[in-house]
């Protein structure tokens, strides 16, 4: 079954969750690698795509209840599988 992966990210690279620019760069490289292997991945940034956060009911409800400290949020086939950090390459492989 084809998996739809959506990643909802904080508005700035200066993460409140301690994500560094280097980590963001490495994660971007990983996403590019997944996409080159025909894995469907969408990324949404709170500052550039705020309506994506509103339109996804489960993401919106989580952020309303617990705040932006939950970002980044990874959703697979409309199920939240990770909050507050990015998945590792091994975790993506296990999906």
């Amino acid at each position: 079954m084809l998996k739809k992966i959506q990643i909802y990210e904080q508005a700035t690279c200066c993460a409140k969750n301690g994500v560094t620019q280097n980590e963001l760069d490495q994660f971007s490289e990983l996403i590019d690698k997944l996409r080159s292997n025909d894995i469907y991945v969408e990324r949404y940034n709170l500052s550039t795509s705020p309506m994506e956060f509103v339109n996804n009911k489960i993401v919106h409800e989580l952020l309303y209840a617990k705040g932006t400290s939950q970002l980044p949020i990874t959703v697979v086939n409309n199920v939240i599988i990770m909050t507050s950090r990015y998945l590792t390459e091994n975790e993506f492989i296990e999906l």
Side-chain angles (χ1 to χ4, degrees):
M1 176 180 168
L2 183 62
K3 294 186 181 189
K4 180 179 179 181
I5 302 169
Q6 298 168 296
I7 301 159
Y8 295 82
E9 301 174 284
Q10 52 252 24
T12 65
C13 67
C14 306
K16 296 173 184 155
N17 298 3
V19 177
T20 66
Q21 186 61 47
N22 186 48
E23 290 169 315
L24 284 174
D25 292 343
Q26 289 176 349
F27 188 71
S28 292
E29 289 175 15
L30 174 58
I31 295 303
D32 290 342
K33 181 178 175 181
L34 293 169
R35 287 177 176 158
S36 71
N37 287 303
D38 296 324
I39 297 172
Y40 183 74
V41 180
E42 294 176 328
R43 291 177 79 177
Y44 302 113
N45 184 290
L46 187 56
S47 65
T48 58
S49 305
M51 289 309 295
E52 295 296 336
F53 290 73
V54 173
N55 292 335
N56 185 310
K57 183 179 178 181
I58 59 173
V59 169
H60 180 79
E61 288 176 353
L62 177 64
L63 291 174
Y64 183 78
K66 296 191 176 182
T68 58
S69 66
Q70 299 301 297
L71 297 172
I73 299 168
T74 302
V75 178
V76 177
N77 294 341
N78 213 33
V79 174
I80 294 173
I81 63 162
M82 180 65 65
T83 64
S84 303
R85 72 171 180 85
Y86 291 106
L87 291 176
T88 65
E89 185 170 0
N90 287 337
E91 290 169 328
F92 271 112
I93 290 168
E94 291 174 8
L95 293 176

